[in-house]
Amino acid sequence: MIFRFLLLSDEVANFKREIQISPEATFLDFHKAILESTGYDKNQMYSFFICNDDWSKETEITLIEMDTSSEEDSYIMENTVLEELIKDEHQKLLYVFDVMSERMFFIELREIITGKDLKSPICSKSVGNPPEQLIDYEQLAKNITSTSDLDDDFYGDEEYDEEDLEGLDETSLDDLADRY
């Protein structure tokens, strides 16, 4: 059997990776396949999260042992087999590659291929460049315009008036956000 996963980024529209891997492989094997397909540095902190259908985090699988209370189950990539936590097609996962900024890939189990086996994971599709692995906060700070440089055109309309926002409630803003 083979799991076929699709990885996407909310930062880079044309980025896509497809990884095929045995369900008997560990999350560490999957992690290494992702690193190889993106060229990311292996000397960073990484985590997988098993998610529900709404992308809410449910179970974390860490690269190294973390101090957790004895009441919680602790999963380590090296010791956790994929099929132990992933059972169904369309299962959703997050792969956090920048822990400090909570940047991640969205992963979905697109297909369970029966009747075939893989000895090692493969990247079967690679489209676009991945997002930069880490944010350079010093460079970002240099690029931010100071508030003293703001002028009347800052909001894109010389006639911008904060009173134009009166009457908008949270529901209206949520509706607008859903459209974009």
Side-chain angles (χ1 to χ4, degrees):
M1 186 180 328
I2 298 172
F3 282 172
R4 183 175 63 88
F5 289 100
L6 177 64
L7 287 74
L8 300 173
S9 168
D10 63 348
E11 296 178 42
V12 179
N14 69 341
F15 169 81
K16 183 187 302 186
R17 295 292 185 272
E18 184 179 274
I19 306 242
Q20 294 186 21
I21 190 169
S22 168
E24 297 169 354
T26 65
F27 277 88
L28 183 62
D29 297 325
F30 192 20
H31 160 71
K32 288 178 180 178
I34 293 171
L35 291 183
E36 187 175 313
S37 76
T38 58
Y40 284 172
D41 179 4
K42 66 179 181 180
N43 296 318
Q44 298 295 323
M45 293 296 300
Y46 296 92
S47 285
F48 284 97
F49 287 91
I50 304 296
C51 299
N52 65 19
D53 289 338
D54 296 324
W55 294 101
S56 294
K57 297 174 183 175
E58 293 182 340
T59 304
E60 182 177 19
I61 304 97
T62 57
L63 183 58
I64 60 172
E65 181 80 40
M66 305 297 270
D67 290 333
T68 60
S69 70
S70 59
E71 296 174 13
E72 293 181 28
D73 287 336
S74 178
Y75 296 97
I76 311 304
M77 289 183 200
E78 182 177 22
N79 303 329
T80 309
V81 175
L82 293 173
E83 65 186 354
E84 181 181 335
L85 298 176
I86 301 171
K87 307 286 186 203
D88 302 311
E89 284 185 354
H90 305 292
Q91 172 66 56
K92 292 175 174 45
L93 298 92
L94 295 173
Y95 176 75
V96 178
F97 60 85
D98 182 355
V99 175
M100 297 303 289
S101 300
E102 277 281 315
R103 295 170 58 236
M104 63 198 77
F105 293 131
F106 295 84
I107 303 174
E108 183 179 357
L109 176 58
R110 297 304 294 253
E111 183 180 15
I112 298 174
I113 304 167
T114 57
K116 294 184 178 183
D117 291 314
L118 278 176
K119 291 185 185 211
S120 58
I122 60 167
C123 178
S124 53
K125 185 179 285 186
S126 178
V127 177
N129 293 321
E132 291 295 320
Q133 183 174 7
L134 301 172
I135 293 175
D136 183 350
Y137 287 105
E138 290 178 17
Q139 184 62 38
L140 186 63
K142 290 178 187 175
N143 293 342
I144 294 177
T145 306
S146 70
T147 55
S148 63
D149 293 339
L150 300 180
D151 61 13
D152 292 337
D153 291 330
F154 176 72
Y155 294 100
D157 184 354
E158 291 177 355
E159 297 173 14
Y160 171 79
D161 186 356
E162 286 187 28
E163 291 178 12
D164 291 343
L165 297 177
E166 288 180 15
L168 286 179
D169 59 12
E170 288 182 31
T171 306
S172 301
L173 293 175
D174 288 342
D175 292 341
L176 280 174
D178 288 342
R179 285 188 227 157
Y180 300 98

